[in-house]
Amino acid sequence: MSVVDEINHFYYRMALHELQMMNGSDAFSGLSYNSLLYLNVIDVTEDCTVTKLADALSITRSAATLKVNDLVRQGAVLREQSQADKRVNYI
């Protein structure tokens, strides 16, 4: 196995472990693994927007918007309007 494959495998195992730990936490109760994945990507994406989230997950912006709306309803994320550009909302 190449070094890149080893690193990818390690990251996969660590991400899965983190999601499992989050799923067992009271702070994240009621959230699916899918939701936890979105939260993880949002957390590691600087100045995350729906567009950046969609690009990171290789999904459509409309699919990302639907999931973000769901996470906002659940109180898992907040939207914050950019002060510099009122058209941009950070999550």
Side-chain angles (χ1 to χ4, degrees), residues 76-89:
V77 296
L78 298 173
R79 277 198 185 92
E80 182 179 326
Q81 191 174 45
S82 169
Q83 297 301 315
D85 185 346
K86 301 294 184 188
R87 298 170 296 172
V88 175
N89 287 291

Side-chain angles (χ1 to χ4, degrees), residues 1-52:
M1 192 178 287
S2 73
V3 173
V4 172
D5 290 338
E6 288 287 338
I7 291 170
N8 285 336
H9 185 68
F10 173 77
Y11 175 76
Y12 170 78
R13 287 191 327 251
M14 292 303 297
L16 184 58
H17 177 71
E18 181 179 296
L19 290 171
Q20 289 170 335
M21 288 182 58
M22 289 171 68
N23 197 39
S25 168
D26 288 340
F28 299 101
S29 64
L31 294 175
S32 66
Y33 279 113
N34 184 271
S35 294
L36 294 173
L37 171 64
Y38 276 77
L39 290 175
N40 192 17
V41 172
I42 290 168
D43 183 51
V44 300
T45 305
E46 188 174 338
D47 294 331
C48 190
T49 63
V50 169
T51 299
K52 286 183 180 181

